[in-house]
């Protein structure tokens, strides 16, 4: 499904009901509730909130925008195509800087559109998208598009490839787009129509045909001959009013039909993206914490097995640590396990491991027996080998339990046999055993030193 399909379905629905005005109050209320729920969610860790501070600040801003009934229209385009002139012409005042030098607009500016002030519509002028003063300003322009409800993309001739790419990027932000051919007064009627047709072809799939219009935000002054009372003639330049009728008609039509719904959908889409990021951050934090927990239990179990002088009895202690590990992982993933549940889960995992790795557990039992009959260095070496196997077994149990918890206490369609087999195949047994043996021997030597 294309990213713009949501907007296309929305606008098609309104197009089938031309007499209907926007009834987005319910949508705005729903969107506001979703934003507030995300902002106030007590389950989001402080570290995740801090890492996404800018996004949460934007959520606060969008919530205020919804509650105030505001709509934001961003004006985009290359440097000096007349973006600020267009915004000023719509406002009816010189609110934004207009100049012939590249980069006149250095940061996004916002003003209330007085003509439809009752609707709380705001215009946002942005820096040029091509020759920006560094990547920061370019990011600023796209960030503004991300929180705008509608975007007017301004060109002053046939689109360049850079403009076409920028238009495609803006289309991926899932905002309705209007394409305005500015400085149309420079062209004759036939040339202007051919150029509009060319723009519609270049923007196909990105902008609706009806939303490609010609305007003149700051028309060139026209020469006029004035005849004085004495019959003498004098040439003068007469300023011309902006010609924005086509764009104004399209803007007001969209705002009247879809205004509050556009704002609500925009806010909901952004909240959804933030929620996905929150979920990803929480999942990553849980994975990192789970890895730390599993390693801690690997060390504890390996040492418990290596230091226990009674043959086979160390395996019983290892089982208790496995149960504690599984219950600890349940708390990490917010899915607490009872002792009975933990015992059942371990039984399932170990049964699958025994079927897959019976030879390893046989060596484990032999090492357990040898340890009680050995002394001195041989005991340390044997204990190190047995502890390394215990470490590896704990790693497998922990990873299998983690997979079960991530799936919501379920083995999924694959079942425990396939899940455990996949985990065994994914772990490098030799490197784990080598690391475990080195760590165990280091700790044993430290204890005997």
């Amino acid at each position: 499904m294309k990213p713009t399909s949501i907007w296309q379905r929305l606008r098609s629905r309104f197009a089938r009901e031309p007499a209907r005005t926007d009834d987005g109050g319910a949508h705005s209320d729903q969107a506001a509730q979703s934003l507030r729920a995300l902002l106030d969610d007590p389950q989001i860790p402080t570290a995740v909130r801090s890492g996404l501070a800018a996004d949460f600040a934007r959520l606060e801003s969008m919530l205020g925008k919804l509650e105030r009934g505001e709509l934001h229209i961003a004006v985009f385009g290359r440097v000096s195509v007349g973006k600020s002139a267009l915004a000023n012409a719509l406002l009816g005042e010189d609110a934004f800087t207009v100049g012939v030098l590249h980069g006149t607009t250095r940061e996004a500016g916002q003003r209330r559109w007085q003509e439809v002030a009752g609707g709380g519509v705001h215009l946002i002028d942005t820096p040029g998208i091509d020759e920006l003063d560094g990547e920061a300003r370019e990011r600023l322009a796209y960030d503004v598009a991300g929180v705008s409800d509608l975007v007017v993309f301004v060109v002053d001739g046939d689109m360049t490839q850079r403009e076409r790419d920028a238009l495609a990027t803006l289309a991926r932000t899932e905002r309705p787009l209007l394409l305005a051919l500015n400085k149309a007064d420079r062209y004759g009627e036939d040339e202007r129509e051919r150029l509009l047709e060319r723009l519609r072809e270049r923007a196909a799939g990105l902008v609706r045909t009806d939303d490609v219009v010609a305007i003149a935000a700051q028309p060139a002054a026209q020469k006029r001959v004035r005849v004085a009372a004495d019959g003498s003639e004098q040439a003068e330049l007469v300023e011309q009013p902006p010609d924005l009728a086509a764009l104004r008609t399209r803007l007001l039509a969209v705002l009247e039909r879809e205004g509050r719904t556009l704002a609500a959908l925009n806010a909901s889409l952004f909240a959804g993206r933030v929620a996905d990021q929150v979920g990803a951050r929480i999942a990553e934090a849980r994975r990192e914490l789970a890895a730390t927990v599993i390693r801690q239990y690997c060390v504890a179990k390996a040492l418990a097995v290596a230091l226990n002088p009674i043959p086979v009895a160390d395996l019983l202690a290892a089982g208790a640590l496995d149960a504690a590990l599984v219950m600890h992982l349940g708390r990490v993933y917010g899915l607490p396990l009872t002792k009975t549940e933990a015992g059942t889960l371990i039984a399932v995992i170990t049964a699958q491991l025994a079927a897959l790795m019976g030879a390893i557990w046989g060596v484990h039992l032999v090492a357990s027996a040898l340890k009680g009959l050995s002394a001195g260095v041989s005991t340390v070496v044997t204990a190190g080998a047995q502890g390394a196997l215990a470490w590896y077994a704990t790693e497998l149990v922990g990873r299998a339990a983690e997979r079960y918890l991530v799936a919501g206490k379920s083995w999924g369609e694959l079942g425990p046999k396939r899940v455990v087999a996949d985990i065994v195949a994914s772990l490098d047994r030799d490197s784990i055993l080598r690391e475990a043996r080195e760590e165990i021997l280091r700790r044993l030597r430290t204890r005997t030193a």
Side-chain angles (χ1 to χ4, degrees), residues 254-273:
V254 172
L255 293 176
E256 287 175 4
R257 291 181 182 177
E258 310 175 34
R260 296 186 69 187
T261 299
L262 289 177
L265 185 53
N266 178 21
S268 297
L269 289 170
F270 182 74
R273 287 193 292 272

Side-chain angles (χ1 to χ4, degrees), residues 352-364:
Q352 299 304 323
L353 288 174
L356 286 168
M357 308 174 67
I360 288 182
W361 308 138
V363 172
H364 187 81

Side-chain angles (χ1 to χ4, degrees), residues 145-166:
V147 294
S148 297
D149 306 304
L150 186 148
V151 178
V152 179
F153 194 98
V154 185
V155 296
D156 60 3
D158 191 8
M159 274 193 293
T160 65
Q161 186 57 48
R162 181 173 293 177
E163 286 175 318
R164 177 62 171 72
D165 293 343

